[in-house]
Structure formats: structure tokens, C-alpha cells
Amino acid sequence: MIKLINNEFIKVKKIKLIMSQLLLLIIVFIINKYGKKFLLDSIYNMIPFIGMMACVIFSGSICGEIESGTIKYYLTKPYKRWKIYLSKLICVYLYLTITILAIILFSFILIDYFDLSYIKDYYLYNIPNYFIVTFTMYLSVKFKNQSLCVGISVFLLSFSLIISQVLFGYNFNVIEYTILPYLDFSIFKDKNTLNIINDELNTSLNLNKAIIINFINIIIFYIIGNYKFNKKDIKN
């Protein structure tokens, strides 16, 4: 399994990973010019961009290899398909985890401040990114078009809250129990605003429910994606 994960990082090319993280750190450095509080607030706004970047880099992990034919290399080796799929997903999770940690630690270095609880909260607010890359991996199995995979994932990250508010406005409150309202945890930062939203939309959105629903969907789409990858015809 470790060899498979290492192969995934090699195929993605380290320069892409380094450049993407460097870009995010440069953004953090620029934001720091506006002050400590502004920086700590702003890095929360960067969370969707971390997910988008991961989707762009890893979206072709499966569909790109199937299209180019390089996936056949694995089929000539004694690797079970579920291990191949899991190794690709772990690779994306590691990238996310390292990127999140790099951003928060770099921010602390810039402002000469350190708080473990802040790191914990920042990771909690990044949970939707772990779902979106799991979903993107599933899309990569389902479709052969890398651009389509990226487009769908980025669309969800960008407009999920707007779509949710529109649907809530039409009394489609059942979506409260779907992943749609919980792809952006920024609404949970201000409890007063959250209470107003819940009162106006007649909902009960909360962080605990958001975390549970994200984890449930991560498991569901991992199982579906893994199943489809195991059944997928990769002869051509």
C-alpha cells in the first residue's frame, strides 16, 4: 500500500504539489500585511480554494490514466483494485492534510502566535474538502472527462450555499439532511448569524450535524467509487 501511495505522488509530480502549496503560502503572506486578526479570519475564507486546488491536481487520477492507458500498468501487477483506489484517495488526503497544516503553521510564524485549539478548529472547517476530493475521485471513475470532474466539484464548492438558500426558500427543507448546505462551514463561525438563518429558513443547521453528514457522505462515495472502479472495464 505504501508503495502505491508513493507512486501516486510521483505520478502527480512533486513540482505541482510544491507550487500549489507555495501559491497558497504567498497568498497568506500577502494577507498578513493587513494585520493579525484579518489574517486569522481570512485563512478561513481560503478553505474552499484548498479544496478546488486539490480537485484540479488530482481529478485525473483515475479518468486521466484510463484515457491514456497508463492504468493498465497496475493490471499487470499483483495489486487488488480496491488497494489501487484507496491509495489514490489516501494520496489526496495526505496532500490536503499537509497543505492545511502548512497554511496554519505559516500563519502562526508570521504573527508570532501559536494555539492548538485554533489548529483543531481549522481542520474541522476543512472537513468538506475531504468530502469534495472523495466525490471528485468518484466522478473520476464515473466519467472519462477530467474537466467535467473538476467543473462539477468546483461548482458545488462555489454555489452550494446559494443553491441551498434558494431551495430552503421554496420550503425544500429536506436538503437539510443532504450534503448540499454543508460544503462551506463558514456559516458556523458567527452563531448570531446562524441563529438568524435558522429562524428565517425554519431549519436547524449546526456544526455537529454538518460534520456527521460530511463523514457519512465520505464513506458512501468512497464505497460507491471503489465498487465502480472494481467493476469498471479497463480493456480499451
Side-chain angles (χ1 to χ4, degrees):
M1 181 65 77
I2 295 177
K3 185 177 180 181
L4 284 172
I5 296 171
N6 185 53
N7 286 341
E8 289 305 314
F9 276 112
I10 293 173
K11 282 187 294 183
V12 172
K13 295 182 180 179
K14 292 179 181 179
I15 187 65
K16 286 184 180 180
L17 304 178
I18 294 173
M19 290 301 293
S20 64
Q21 292 179 341
L22 184 60
L23 175 61
L24 291 170
L25 294 182
I26 290 174
I27 294 173
V28 171
F29 180 78
I30 294 173
I31 294 174
N32 179 59
K33 298 296 182 180
Y34 294 92
K36 170 183 173 180
K37 187 178 186 306
F38 186 80
L39 172 62
L40 293 179
D41 288 338
S42 296
I43 60 173
Y44 277 94
N45 296 327
M46 291 177 60
I47 289 175
F49 294 101
I50 299 174
M52 291 178 189
M53 194 164 287
C55 290
V56 170
I57 295 173
F58 294 95
S59 59
S61 181
I62 293 178
C63 64
E65 288 191 22
I66 293 176
E67 189 175 357
S68 64
T70 55
I71 194 71
K72 293 178 182 178
Y73 166 79
Y74 287 113
L75 303 182
T76 64
K77 303 294 180 180
Y79 297 130
K80 294 185 181 298
R81 285 201 185 188
W82 71 266
K83 286 187 176 181
I84 297 172
Y85 187 84
L86 181 59
S87 67
K88 291 177 180 293
L89 199 54
I90 291 175
C91 179
V92 192
Y93 286 170
L94 285 174
Y95 168 80
L96 271 180
T97 303
I98 293 170
T99 301
I100 294 166
L101 187 61
I103 288 174
I104 194 68
L105 289 181
F106 186 60
S107 301
F108 284 164
I109 291 172
L110 289 176
I111 62 178
D112 192 22
Y113 171 81
F114 189 81
D115 187 346
L116 283 176
S117 64
Y118 202 90
I119 297 176
K120 182 200 73 175
D121 290 343
Y122 196 64
Y123 266 104
L124 281 179
Y125 276 70
N126 268 279
I127 288 176
N129 283 336
Y130 288 89
F131 162 75
I132 205 66
V133 295
T134 306
F135 182 68
T136 302
M137 190 68 69
Y138 157 73
L139 293 177
S140 190
V141 176
K142 187 173 181 61
F143 302 110
K144 290 185 178 180
N145 191 317
Q146 182 176 352
S147 299
L148 181 61
C149 297
V150 175
I152 293 174
S153 299
V154 171
F155 178 81
L156 282 176
L157 279 174
S158 303
F159 300 104
S160 61
L161 276 181
I162 296 175
I163 296 172
S164 298
Q165 288 174 357
V166 171
L167 292 175
F168 280 133
Y170 284 98
N171 294 320
F172 287 105
N173 288 11
V174 68
I175 66 164
E176 181 182 342
Y177 303 98
T178 69
I179 191 66
L180 203 56
Y182 306 113
L183 289 178
D184 185 350
F185 281 9
S186 62
I187 60 172
F188 301 118
K189 284 189 66 182
D190 188 337
K191 291 186 177 180
N192 290 328
T193 302
L194 179 62
N195 290 333
I196 293 172
I197 292 174
N198 281 329
D199 289 339
E200 289 182 351
L201 299 177
N202 192 28
T203 58
S204 57
L205 304 177
N206 61 78
L207 183 58
N208 290 334
K209 185 189 293 183
I211 292 172
I212 292 171
I213 289 177
N214 265 270
F215 274 117
I216 290 174
N217 278 273
I218 286 172
I219 295 170
I220 289 173
F221 279 98
Y222 164 71
I223 293 173
I224 296 174
N226 195 13
Y227 174 79
K228 285 187 173 295
F229 182 67
N230 276 276
K231 297 297 181 181
K232 196 170 186 67
D233 182 7
I234 315 179
K235 294 181 180 179
N236 299 319

